[in-house]
Amino acid sequence: MTAVTVADTPAAPTPFATARAMLRLHRPALFLWTGVVLAALALMVWGYGWLAEPAAAAYQRLKACDYACSYDQDAYLTYKDVLRYASYIVTFLPLLVAAWAGATLTSRELESGTAQFAWTQSVTPARWLAAKLLAPAALLTAGTSLLVLLHHLLWAQGRRADVLGWNDILVFQANGPTTVALTLFGLAAGVLTGLLLRRSLAALAVTVVVTAAVGFGLNRFRGYFWPTVTVTTPLKDGPWFGGPVVSYGAVTSTGAHVPVPDCAQYWSAAKDCRAQLDKQHIVRFYSETHPYSHYWFLQLTATALTLALTGLVVLLAFRVLDRHTGTVAKGTAV
C-alpha cells in the first residue's frame, strides 16, 4: 500500500494579523492621516493656549465701552481665523479621509485582484472585510475624537469673544460626537460603494456625495431631534435666532400666532410698518427653537441616528459581499 502524505492546511491568520497586514499595505495613507491630525492639533493647541483668552478679553473690553473704544483687534481676528479654519478641518477632513479610505480599501483591491488572492490564502471574505472596517474605524475614531475634543476646548475657551455661536453649522458639527459618527458612516459607505462599483474613482465620488448628503440632512433637520421651547421677544428685537429654529412668527394681543408681516422682514421701526403691526394687533415675536441647554440632546440624538445608519450600511456591505462571493456562510463569526 502506498502511503499518501496530505499537506497541512495553512492556519487561518488571526484578525490582528489580517489588520496588521492591511495597515502595512496602506502605510503611506496611515502616515498622512497621522501627520494631518498632528498638524490640526498643533493649530488648535496654539489657539487654545495663546489666542482664545486675549481675544475674549479684547471683545469684552469693546463691548463694555459700547463699541466706541480701541481694542486688541489683532488678537480677536487671529483667534477668529484659527477657530474658523479649525472648524473647517474638523468638519470636513475626517469625512473626506473616511470616504477615501472606505472607497479605496475595497474597490482598489477588487480591481487589482489582491482581494481574490487573499481569499485563497485562508482569509475568508468576511474576515477580509472585517479587517477593512475595524482597523481604519479605530484609527479614524481616535484621530477624529482628538480633533473634536480639542476643538470644543478651543471654542469654549474663547466663548466670551462671541466669534462663532454654538448654533453655527460648522461649530455644532465640529464640537461633538456627531462628526465622529459621520466619519464612521463615511468609512462604511465607502466600503459598500467599493464593493458595489469596484472602481476607485467612481466609489470615491459616490461616497463623498452620499456622506455629504447625510451630513446636510443632519444639519437641516437637527431642530426636530428634540422638543423645542417657545421664545418670545419684543417687536424691536425681532424673532430670536440664537439656536436651531423650527418656526417663527408674530404674536397678537389675543395670544394667536400669525406669520410675520412683510414690512417686518428686517424688523423695521418705520411708521408705516408700525401701523401695519398695530392694525394686526401684533405685540411680540415668537420662535420655536432650542436654547444652548439642548445642545447635548441634539448632539447625542444626531449621533445615535448616524451610528444606526452606519450599522445598517455595514450589514448591507456584508450582504453584498456574500452575494458576490457566495462563500460567506450565514452566521459565520467574523
Side-chain angles (χ1 to χ4, degrees), residues 89-267:
I89 291 173
V90 178
T91 299
F92 295 111
L93 180 63
L95 306 184
L96 294 175
V97 171
W100 173 83
T104 57
L105 284 174
T106 53
S107 62
R108 182 172 296 174
E109 293 197 20
L110 289 170
E111 279 184 292
S112 63
T114 306
Q116 292 84 342
F117 176 76
W119 299 342
T120 66
Q121 305 300 309
S122 300
V123 178
T124 65
R127 179 165 291 178
W128 171 83
L129 182 56
K132 298 300 176 187
L133 285 166
L134 294 177
L139 293 172
L140 288 169
T141 298
T144 306
S145 297
L146 282 174
L147 293 176
V148 167
L149 175 61
L150 194 51
H151 183 278
H152 188 83
L153 293 174
L154 172 64
W155 174 82
Q157 179 77 349
R159 189 178 176 190
R160 292 187 303 115
D162 198 26
V163 172
L164 296 174
W166 72 272
N167 185 45
D168 181 88
I169 292 178
L170 291 177
V171 170
F172 181 88
Q173 190 74 25
N175 259 358
T178 303
T179 292
V180 181
L182 196 56
T183 299
L184 294 177
F185 173 82
L187 174 65
V191 166
L192 176 59
T193 55
L195 290 172
L196 290 172
L197 302 179
R198 302 192 175 204
R199 294 292 183 272
S200 297
L201 291 179
L204 176 60
V206 171
T207 303
V208 170
V209 171
V210 171
T211 306
V214 171
F216 175 81
L218 289 173
N219 278 298
R220 175 65 180 80
F221 297 105
R222 60 179 165 155
Y224 299 92
F225 293 164
W226 199 256
T228 59
V229 298
T230 302
V231 176
T232 59
T233 50
L235 292 178
K236 64 181 181 65
D237 294 337
W240 188 78
F241 293 108
V245 175
V246 174
S247 64
Y248 68 94
V251 183
T252 66
S253 57
T254 62
H257 288 186
V258 298
V260 175
D262 292 338
C263 75
Q265 182 178 2
Y266 302 103
W267 329 127

